[in-house]
Amino acid sequence: LNQYPLALLLVGRKVLVVGGGHLAQRCTSALVEAGAAVTVVSPSLTPALEVLPIAWLRRRFRSSDVDDTWLVHAATGRPEVDTLVAAAAEERRVFCVQADDRYPATAVRVGSGSARPTAHDFGRRGGVALIGAGPGDPELITVKGRRLLAEADVVVADRLASGLLLDGLRQDVELIDAAKVPYGRQLSQQKINELLVDRALAGKFVARLKGGDPYIFGRGGEELAACVEAGIAVEVVPGVTSAISVPALVGIPITHRGMTHEFTVVSGHLPPSHPDSLVDWGALGRLRGTLVLLMAVRNLAAITARLIIAGRDPATPAAIIQDGSTSRERIYRGTLADISTLGAVPPAVIVIGDVAKILPVPLPSLPSPSPTIQKQSAADQG
Ligand SMILES: C[S@@+](CC[C@H](N)C(=O)[O-])C[C@H]1O[C@@H](n2cnc3c(N)ncnc32)[C@H](O)[C@@H]1O
């Protein structure tokens, strides 16, 4: 059948996703990023779905779930159930996307041409690519990262990897959820290493998609070492780290001529008093340059207090960028003394230093018809 391609503006519109597994995860992340009001109906959810801002009906599908929705995704992975969902939608004249139908038509979104690339086409067997996915905006992956992602037989993805990148994967790609939900459900690092090695030894080409850059607090080194030890071909594709790009996107350059000659990126996942902490917080408090903190929201009060005791001026400008580069982005501005009290939640990048208030904000942005559609269509062009 001839098809009529459409891109939908779904901001605030009710969308129903039936299914809570990996198929559903792909489309749900993308729908949330497009601003849809998503309800997922499924007895269970993947860890990555659990942390998305969605409504969850924890049960099996009922035909009446389709009432009053604009769009339905049938993504249970069971064709007989998806067909029932599609029939209920058809009866109510609601458009329904069946996961099985959709992917052949949209596979070109991730690839660089109109053909569906496969590992076989590229002669690439039994290897691993550790790919930096960038901070969240699907356009901030590198060209090479995107190409290798399109070639993968297996994708092992972090929670911070963009949903839109996953949504464009071919139907036959095995998607493994390595969601590292802070203080929540996690696949252990040991298990992730084993999966990479296991799939590669089985002759698969594995894309390990990691938020930001694989080596910036990303355990890329451990995964690379596991592959090398198992004799597996492995390639690292550096990514755009959130430490630099997330501040940059909101008008905070982490260096600025005449203001700072250094920047330091620090993990704040342990409080300064913790016996396992490897950070010299006293030395950092005596620095004049820019301090960028990752994974520090939970310990921010203890960290800022320690920096002030060590000599950093409490009036030093500070900013927190939460969910940077995504549609959920939020910015908090303050000083070293009060930045921990402003209510930010992870994931967030914290910038401390004069650069936090050097440029005028908000930045005048380039005109675009709609940010959601613009992101989507640019991805479509490959
Ligand atoms: C485990 S570290 C991984 C960092 C990643 N490898 C990178 O280079 O960006 C996760 C932390 O990165 C930061 N982060 C990553 N993406 C972010 C985003 N889109 N917005 C704000 N912070 C982000 C947060 O501090 C988060 O807790």
Side-chain angles (χ1 to χ4, degrees):
L1 284 182
N2 288 335
Q3 295 185 336
Y4 183 68
L6 274 182
L8 301 179
L9 194 58
L10 290 172
V11 179
R13 299 210 193 277
K14 283 172 72 172
V15 176
L16 180 74
V17 175
V18 185
H22 296 292
L23 272 183
Q25 184 181 315
R26 298 180 201 188
C27 63
T28 305
S29 314
L31 288 165
V32 166
E33 281 172 27
V38 183
T39 298
V40 174
V41 55
S42 169
S44 60
L45 295 183
T46 64
L49 276 172
E50 267 182 20
V51 296
L52 287 179
I54 54 172
W56 178 19
L57 300 176
R58 192 175 192 160
R59 56 166 171 74
R60 293 188 189 288
F61 170 76
R62 295 176 194 147
S63 304
S64 57
D65 293 336
V66 175
D67 292 344
D68 300 326
T69 59
W70 290 78
L71 179 69
V72 177
H73 275 259
T76 63
R78 293 172 56 201
E80 69 282 9
V81 179
D82 289 356
T83 303
L84 276 177
V85 175
E90 174 81 19
E91 211 171 275
R92 291 161 177 80
R93 297 191 175 194
V94 174
F95 281 110
C96 178
V97 181
Q98 275 182 268
D100 286 349
D101 289 345
R102 189 167 66 120
Y103 286 94
T106 56
V108 291
R109 287 176 51 193
V110 168
S112 52
S114 58
R116 293 177 61 199
T118 66
H120 184 70
D121 295 337
F122 287 82
R124 218 181 249 289
R125 307 303 297 174
V128 173
L130 301 177
I131 303 173
D137 180 337
E139 293 194 311
L140 291 177
I141 190 171
T142 63
V143 173
K144 185 170 188 178
R146 189 167 164 148
R147 177 171 61 75
L148 293 183
L149 184 62
E151 294 174 22
D153 303 306
V154 180
V155 174
V156 183
D158 276 358
R159 181 176 67 104
L160 291 175
S162 165
L164 278 173
L165 289 173
L166 301 181
D167 191 42
L169 295 177
R170 302 187 319 271
Q171 170 71 15
D172 59 306
V173 171
E174 182 190 8
L175 175 62
I176 298 174
D177 180 4
K180 291 245 175 80
V181 183
Y183 315 108
R185 279 166 69 182
Q186 303 196 351
L187 201 55
S188 74
Q189 188 60 52
Q190 175 66 20
K191 183 76 188 153
I192 294 171
N193 295 354
E194 283 168 15
L195 277 168
L196 299 179
V197 168
D198 174 76
R199 297 300 192 275
L201 286 178
K204 307 281 186 187
F205 177 52
V206 185
R208 171 69 175 111
L209 194 62
K210 302 172 75 67
D213 179 273
Y215 285 165
I216 307 291
F217 307 132
R219 297 188 158 202
E222 291 168 53
E223 292 173 10
L224 183 121
C227 293
V228 170
E229 197 179 316
I232 290 163
V234 58
E235 178 166 0
V236 178
V237 183
V240 176
T241 180
S242 64
I244 297 174
S245 62
V246 163
L249 290 165
V250 299
I252 301 178
I254 62 170
T255 71
H256 195 73
R257 193 160 71 96
M259 180 173 277
T260 170
H261 289 176
E262 88 230 1
F263 66 89
T264 312
V265 180
V266 186
S267 168
H269 73 288
L270 294 178
S273 58
H274 197 284
D276 294 340
S277 174
L278 300 175
V279 180
D280 186 343
W281 291 102
L284 293 180
R286 290 189 293 278
L287 292 178
R288 295 177 50 190
T290 307
L291 203 53
V292 180
L293 306 176
L294 302 189
M295 296 183 283
V297 172
R298 196 173 141 132
N299 298 318
L300 194 53
I303 289 171
T304 52
R306 181 73 186 86
L307 292 171
I308 291 169
I309 288 170
R312 193 87 196 218
D313 183 353
T316 306
I320 302 182
I321 309 104
Q322 181 179 306
D323 279 311
S325 88
T326 74
S327 54
R328 301 174 301 283
E329 181 177 276
R330 231 178 131 177
I331 307 164
Y332 302 82
R333 288 176 190 279
T335 62
L336 181 59
D338 69 7
I339 197 72
S340 69
T341 64
L342 304 183
V345 294
V349 173
I350 297 153
V351 183
I352 296 165
D354 290 339
V355 293
K357 63 162 198 194
I358 185 72
L359 293 184
V361 286
L363 297 178
S365 52
L366 293 171
S368 73
S370 145
T372 307
I373 293 297
Q374 194 197 28
K375 276 182 187 176
Q376 181 96 16
S377 59
D380 286 350
Q381 287 157 18

